[in-house]
């Protein structure tokens, strides 16, 4: 709990009081949003010549790309192309793999993400990750969401309750679980579990949300709920999503990067990539001819 | 492209068809392409497979029922001999020479002392080691090699016969490699805390100066405090204060010196049965506090507990490792991704999920330590213990040892109370295992 003293830094950027919570607006077209604010092109994550290996197997080969702030960036590509690896470098989850190593530059704003001196605890608070398979802890729903805030903040019970409610509302699962906050999280459906995991991730107040195929284990209804949720969240968070689902990438993302065999083939705004790809391989992939 | 037929009759029916039509030689390329690799004749008849399955099931039932039958036979024979001798006396009295009054109270308490102390030492050590090996794996090559070596050692140690651990315990804990021997050849320990030493005298007298009003001749015991175990003997003289042993404890009495030769008791065994310590004769004796501590440990409870620790430590480490490995990696990843330190991951996520497995393994290991005889036989020896242990360094005996002692005697009556003792031991072990099952069940239903 080294971060207990730095409470202000950890406060979610939204007001905590549920009464002040802005009501969910109908999902607006992202293109309109972009045209309304064409000047927002701040780069949250910058990578230059990022290469990565698992043992002797090279998973990423000189990736250079920028992830823009408060936008949804989709990583697409066939299995084994390195998109998940890249995602897992952004919050250094690859450190759990013994043989993983990386060279090049990877920065979150001014923070060098690949430096061995990087404070991983604070980094992972700032860069949250949602995994492919819903993985709630075998605890109650409340305990699941309260897990992160308890790690990083010193809170009174009521403050903790506020954060839990805010996160669950934000993740669009509050109405379904508000009457059974102390029921086991594993009793929820797959889609609810995944939204609970998103609530758990945003409860620590991250700046960046990494999503590693968050809908691939879910039914279409839950997928839709999570896509709407991303549309909501993109105003406050920089979101990077890895997906195999081309429609999902085109529906939810502002920017799309196509990877193939460890290399970045093409990156552009989503509409251009899906309507007018410059690379033949991109075109083949998004039209379903391979991958 | 006909579907392969699945019955034996069809397979035999198609036999002549194959002979009339030699395949795969005069077929065109196109025909070869269209041909499937499934040959109807190659399909095994299912009745032989079903028969094999049936026989395998029968063998399984036979082996399983054989072990159950043997267990049932053992239980019945133990129950028939043991139940008549089960009594309150058996539980609460000391192992007297007379089988009617003999009991296993000291052995029962010895088992409880040794095994609880063993659990107290072993559980933190074993679980801590398992957490280190499983959850804090080093990233560099040298560290990985060292961890691999440790793992190899633990796995091997789990298979070492427990009698070997007994010998190790005798050297390492009982005598402590003889590092602390006194130079003067005295057998006493080098370091000793919490003991008061006395010189004990006995006196067959009715002494009007010391005990007014009671004139019948009786034996008296006097204790003189001395500085240490090895101090020079005290010679009583008139005017000194001594402690007299009355039933309740020590009472200060003044001394009148008598001719030492006249105070020799006539019957040694009589003295033995009424001396303060009951096992010691007149001479240098010591009274030990509950916090008595000595180095080397000697044949005390703590040496027994540490030796049993050697026996069950590998078992606990391995079962804890299994329990930790069974925790899904996705949970660790989730906790790490939220910004937990590795320790927070272990404490908040991995350990709670692994507790049922750890508890089950640990309780089974501890019940193994309750039943261990060989190492205790070596480090405690068969000594006649009449009382429950009072402190960590006290002499003790355990139930398997007491049962062994009784069974090795020629009298039939002792065999009967040994059977009773086995029943008590079985009851304790089954209780432990039942607790393990209960805890696992409870924890698992709580987690899900």
């Amino acid at each position: 709990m080294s971060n207990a003293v730095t409470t202000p830094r950890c406060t979610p950027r939204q007001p905590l009081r549920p009464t002040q919570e802005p009501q969910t607006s109908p999902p607006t077209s992202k293109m309109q949003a972009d045209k309304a604010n064409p000047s927002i092109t701040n780069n949250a994550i910058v990578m230059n010549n990022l290469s990565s290996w698992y043992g002797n197997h090279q998973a990423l080969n000189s990736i250079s790309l920028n992830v823009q702030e408060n936008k949804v960036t989709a990583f697409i590509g066939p299995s084994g192309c390195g998109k998940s690896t890249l995602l897992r470098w952004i919050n250094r989850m690859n450190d759990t793999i013994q043989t993983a190593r990386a060279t090049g530059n990877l920065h979150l704003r001014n923070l060098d993400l690949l430096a061995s001196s990087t404070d991983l605890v604070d980094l992972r608070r700032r860069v949250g990750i949602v995994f492919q398979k819903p993985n709630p802890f075998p605890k109650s729903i409340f305990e699941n969401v309260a897990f992160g805030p308890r790690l990083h903040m010193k809170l009174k019970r009521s403050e903790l309750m506020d954060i839990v409610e805010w996160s669950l509302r934000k993740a669009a699962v509050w109405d379904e679980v508000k009457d059974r906050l102390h029921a086991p999280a594993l009793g929820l459906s797959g889609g609810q579990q995944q939204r609970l995991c998103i609530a758990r991730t945003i409860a620590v107040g991250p700046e960046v949300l990494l999503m590693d195929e968050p809908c691939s284990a879910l039914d279409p209804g839950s997928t839709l709920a999570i896509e709407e949720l991303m549309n909501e969240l993109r105003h406050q968070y920089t979101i990077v999503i890895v997906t195999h689902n081309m429609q999902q990438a085109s529906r939810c993302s502002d920017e799309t990067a196509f990877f193939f065999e460890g290399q970045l083939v093409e990156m552009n705004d989503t509409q251009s990539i899906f309507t007018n790809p410059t690379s033949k391989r991109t075109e083949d992939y998004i039209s379903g001819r391979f991958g | 492209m006909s579907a392969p037929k699945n019955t034996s009759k069809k397979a035999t029916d198609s036999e002549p068809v194959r002979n009339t039509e030699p395949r795969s030689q005069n077929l065109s390329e196109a025909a070869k392409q269209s041909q499937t690799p499934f040959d109807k004749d190659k399909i095994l008849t299912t009745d032989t497979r079903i028969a094999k399955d049936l026989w395998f099931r029968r063998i399984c039932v036979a082996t399983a029922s054989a072990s159950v039958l043997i267990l049932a036979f053992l239980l019945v024979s133990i129950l028939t001999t043991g139940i008549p001798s089960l009594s309150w006396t058996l539980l609460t009295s000391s192992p007297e020479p007379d089988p009617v009054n003999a009991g296993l109270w000291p052995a029962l308490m010895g088992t409880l002392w040794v095994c609880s102390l063993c659990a107290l030492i072993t559980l933190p050590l074993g679980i801590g080691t398992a957490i280190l090996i499983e959850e804090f794996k080093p990233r560099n090559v040298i560290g990985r090699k060292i961890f691999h070596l440790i793992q190899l050692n633990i796995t091997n140690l789990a298979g070492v016969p427990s009698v070997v651990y007994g010998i190790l315990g005798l050297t390492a804990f009982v005598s402590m490699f003889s590092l602390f021997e006194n130079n003067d050849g005295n057998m006493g320990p080098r370091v000793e805390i919490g003991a008061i030493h006395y010189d004990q005298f006995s006196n067959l007298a009715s002494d009007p100066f010391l005990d007014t009003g009671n004139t019948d001749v009786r034996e008296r015991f006097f204790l003189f405090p001395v500085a240490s175990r090895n101090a020079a003997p005290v010679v009583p003289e008139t005017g000194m204060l001594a402690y007299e042993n009355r039933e309740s404890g020590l009472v200060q009495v003044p001394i009148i010196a008598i001719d030492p030769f006249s105070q020799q008791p006539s019957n040694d065994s009589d003295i033995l049965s009424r001396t303060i310590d009951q096992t010691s004769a007149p001479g240098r004796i010591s009274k030990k506090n509950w916090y008595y501590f000595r180095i080397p440990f000697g044949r005390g409870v703590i040496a027994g507990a540490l030796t049993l620790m050697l026996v069950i430590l590998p078992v606990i480490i391995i079962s804890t490792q299994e329990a930790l490995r069974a925790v899904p990696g996705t949970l660790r990843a989730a906790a790490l991704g939220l910004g937990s330190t590795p320790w927070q991951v272990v404490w908040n996520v991995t350990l709670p999920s692994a507790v049922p497995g750890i508890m089950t393994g640990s309780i089974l290991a501890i019940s193994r330590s309750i039943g261990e005889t060989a190492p205790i036989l070596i480090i405690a020896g068969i000594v006649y213990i009449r009382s429950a242990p009072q402190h960590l360094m006290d002499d003790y005996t355990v139930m398997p040892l007491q049962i062994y002692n009784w069974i090795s005697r020629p009298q039939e009556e002792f065999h009967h109370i040994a059977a009773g003792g086995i029943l008590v031991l079985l009851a304790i072990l089954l209780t432990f295992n039942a607790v393990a099952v209960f805890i696992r069940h409870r924890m698992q239903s709580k987690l899900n």
Side-chain angles (χ1 to χ4, degrees):
Chain A
M1 298 294 281
S2 60
N3 293 310
V5 281
T6 60
T7 309
R9 223 169 31 151
C10 309
T11 316
R13 280 177 277 169
Q14 277 291 306
L16 292 180
R17 295 289 158 188
T19 48
Q20 296 167 352
E21 169 71 11
Q23 278 304 301
T24 307
S25 54
T28 52
S29 158
K30 60 196 180 320
M31 282 301 139
Q32 282 175 354
D34 284 351
K35 277 165 193 161
N37 292 312
S39 59
I40 302 179
T41 51
N42 295 331
N43 291 330
I45 301 163
V46 179
M47 51 190 94
N48 268 316
N49 289 325
L50 182 74
S51 298
S52 168
W53 290 264
Y54 294 119
N56 292 324
H57 170 70
Q58 184 162 18
L60 292 175
N61 191 356
S62 288
I63 306 286
S64 301
L65 63 82
N66 301 329
V67 173
Q68 291 176 17
E69 203 162 323
N70 290 357
K71 290 204 173 173
V72 178
T73 306
F75 290 175
I76 60 171
S79 291
C81 69
K83 53 196 190 307
S84 284
T85 303
L86 182 60
L87 193 78
R88 289 164 61 89
W89 275 119
I90 299 176
N91 73 346
R92 292 273 293 272
M93 285 306 283
N94 275 336
D95 282 22
T96 57
I97 297 162
Q98 302 241 336
T99 55
R101 63 202 165 85
T103 59
N105 287 317
L106 176 57
H107 282 83
L108 170 67
R109 303 216 167 76
N110 294 324
L111 183 68
D112 182 2
L113 295 186
L114 295 183
S116 57
S117 60
T118 304
D119 177 0
L120 291 185
V121 169
D122 193 51
L123 168 66
R124 287 171 184 158
R125 185 191 62 73
R126 291 173 61 188
V127 183
I129 187 163
V130 177
F131 296 93
Q132 177 175 2
K133 226 179 127 207
N135 55 354
F137 299 124
K139 302 171 189 267
S140 72
I141 294 167
F142 177 85
E143 292 291 324
N144 260 280
V145 185
F147 187 93
R150 278 188 181 142
L151 293 176
H152 299 286
M153 304 169 221
K154 201 172 181 68
L155 295 168
K156 291 196 201 98
R157 178 87 189 168
S158 60
E159 293 170 325
L160 188 64
M161 190 59 224
D162 284 344
I163 290 186
V164 169
E165 184 178 340
W166 177 86
S167 310
L168 286 170
R169 275 187 196 279
K170 206 80 191 148
V173 71
W174 170 254
D175 290 333
E176 290 151 76
V177 302
K178 64 183 174 195
D179 297 326
R180 44 171 177 157
L181 281 179
H182 296 283
L186 291 174
L188 297 173
S189 74
Q192 288 171 332
Q193 286 187 12
Q194 191 65 302
R195 275 177 283 156
L196 177 68
C197 291
I198 294 175
R200 182 176 69 184
T201 307
I202 60 179
V204 293
E207 303 157 26
V208 180
L209 272 185
L210 307 176
M211 296 187 166
D212 193 354
E213 299 177 36
C215 303
S216 64
L218 304 182
D219 62 289
S222 306
T223 304
L224 185 69
I226 289 188
E227 284 178 10
E228 282 173 359
L229 175 60
M230 279 195 294
N231 247 325
E232 277 301 300
L233 296 177
R234 55 204 275 278
H235 303 296
Q236 286 105 47
Y237 301 96
T238 304
I239 299 177
V240 183
I241 176 173
V242 164
T243 180
H244 275 134
N245 184 334
M246 236 53 62
Q247 284 76 33
Q248 185 171 52
S250 65
R251 278 193 303 263
C252 320
S253 67
D254 306 307
E255 299 267 317
T256 299
F258 172 64
F259 292 86
F260 185 71
E261 291 183 347
Q263 281 170 323
L264 175 64
V265 176
E266 192 173 352
M267 181 171 185
N268 210 334
D269 70 86
T270 300
Q271 199 174 30
S272 318
I273 277 225
F274 279 92
T275 54
N276 190 19
T278 55
S279 158
K280 179 79 171 63
R281 276 189 301 201
T282 316
E283 192 184 343
D284 286 351
Y285 183 71
I286 59 178
S287 57
R289 246 166 278 172
F290 84 100
Chain B
M1 213 196 272
S2 63
K5 301 239 165 88
N6 237 357
T7 59
S8 55
K9 280 178 195 167
K10 298 293 173 192
T12 46
D13 285 348
S14 62
E15 189 88 17
V17 182
R18 196 184 63 162
N19 292 340
T20 57
E21 196 178 72
R23 296 183 309 121
S24 71
Q25 280 164 5
N26 40 9
L27 286 176
S28 66
E29 273 302 307
K32 265 185 191 170
Q33 290 284 319
S34 69
Q35 197 166 12
T36 61
F38 303 109
D39 190 338
K40 271 195 252 172
D41 307 338
K42 293 281 164 67
I43 292 168
L44 294 171
T45 56
T46 52
D47 43 359
T48 54
R49 277 189 286 162
I50 289 170
K52 266 185 196 167
D53 173 73
L54 189 68
W55 274 106
F56 185 71
R57 245 189 276 178
R58 280 177 189 157
I59 291 170
C60 287
V61 168
T63 48
S65 40
S67 55
V68 169
L69 277 179
I70 292 170
L71 181 67
F73 177 75
L74 275 175
L75 274 180
V76 166
S77 72
I78 291 287
L79 282 171
T80 46
T81 26
I83 282 189
S85 61
L86 275 184
S87 66
W88 198 241
T89 320
L90 184 72
L91 277 181
T92 55
S93 60
S94 54
E96 309 287 342
D98 170 23
V100 180
N101 298 325
L104 38 69
W105 175 250
L108 187 64
M109 292 311 287
T111 291
L112 283 183
W113 270 76
V114 171
C115 292
S116 343
L117 186 62
C118 173
L120 277 181
I121 301 169
T122 315
L123 288 183
L125 267 182
I127 295 173
T129 311
I131 288 175
L132 174 75
I133 296 176
E134 279 303 310
E135 304 289 326
F136 296 93
K137 286 179 179 150
R139 289 179 66 85
N140 58 12
V141 179
I142 299 170
R144 282 215 295 270
K145 286 239 163 74
I146 293 174
F147 268 49
H148 189 72
L149 197 69
I150 294 175
Q151 179 73 65
L152 195 71
N153 266 315
I154 291 168
T155 322
N156 283 337
L157 285 176
V160 171
S162 57
V163 68
V164 177
Y165 287 118
I167 297 165
L168 179 59
L170 191 66
T171 322
F173 304 128
V174 175
S175 66
M176 291 197 163
F177 307 105
S178 308
L179 286 177
F180 301 99
E181 264 179 0
N182 278 325
N183 295 329
D184 55 7
N186 195 306
M187 288 302 285
R190 195 67 165 295
V191 180
E192 203 169 25
I193 300 164
I196 310 167
H197 299 285
Y198 297 96
D199 272 345
Q200 178 168 281
F201 293 84
S202 65
N203 178 20
L204 280 170
S206 131
D207 195 329
F209 292 100
L210 304 180
D211 198 3
T212 52
N214 193 353
T215 52
D216 57 327
V217 175
R218 62 192 190 90
E219 202 169 4
R220 307 171 64 95
F221 291 90
F222 299 113
L223 301 167
F224 290 88
V226 291
S228 74
R229 183 183 285 271
N230 303 324
V234 173
V235 181
E237 44 187 284
T238 306
M240 282 179 83
L241 282 176
Y243 295 89
E244 187 193 2
N245 177 29
R246 298 226 173 108
E247 296 303 320
S248 55
L250 301 175
V251 182
Q252 263 193 356
V253 288
I255 286 294
I256 297 171
I258 322 166
D259 177 12
F261 294 104
S262 72
Q263 73 181 61
Q264 290 299 319
S266 54
N267 188 348
D268 268 358
S269 66
D270 189 34
I271 291 174
L272 275 178
S273 66
R274 292 168 61 188
T275 312
I276 181 173
D277 193 327
Q278 296 198 330
T279 56
S280 64
R284 184 64 51 88
I285 65 158
S286 53
K287 189 171 183 294
K288 285 148 183 163
N289 280 312
W290 62 268
Y291 56 85
Y292 176 64
F293 183 79
R294 53 173 279 186
I295 288 177
F297 292 149
R299 298 176 178 271
V301 169
I302 197 166
L306 287 171
T307 308
L308 286 182
M309 174 197 84
L310 295 179
V311 179
I312 65 170
L313 195 54
V315 182
I316 287 191
I317 293 175
I318 290 171
S319 62
T320 306
Q321 277 184 291
E322 292 296 333
L324 290 174
R325 258 180 241 153
V327 177
T330 54
L331 291 186
R332 290 191 190 90
L336 268 184
L338 286 171
S340 307
T341 59
W343 165 244
Q344 284 171 324
V345 175
V346 169
W347 183 248
N348 294 323
V349 177
T350 320
L351 266 187
S353 303
V355 157
I358 295 176
M359 291 291 280
T360 315
S362 304
I363 291 179
L364 290 180
I366 290 165
S367 57
R368 182 183 163 186
S369 81
I370 293 177
E372 272 303 338
T373 322
I376 301 284
L377 188 62
I378 288 178
I379 59 162
I382 301 186
V383 278
Y384 182 53
I385 306 288
R386 288 181 52 101
S387 57
Q390 304 297 317
H391 49 82
L392 292 184
M393 306 288 155
D394 211 351
D395 289 338
Y396 66 97
T397 186
V398 292
M399 295 184 61
L401 212 56
Q402 186 63 57
I403 291 165
Y404 168 73
N405 186 352
W406 279 336
I407 281 191
S408 55
R409 293 190 195 192
Q411 298 96 324
E412 189 73 19
E413 292 85 356
F414 278 113
H415 298 175
H416 289 155
I417 57 170
I422 290 172
L423 283 184
V424 176
L425 188 61
L426 270 182
I428 294 176
L429 288 176
L430 289 181
T431 313
F432 256 74
N433 291 4
V435 167
V437 171
F438 177 75
I439 287 176
R440 185 177 53 190
H441 196 76
R442 183 81 182 275
M443 292 286 205
Q444 265 165 358
S445 58
K446 203 173 135 192
L447 282 178
N448 299 319

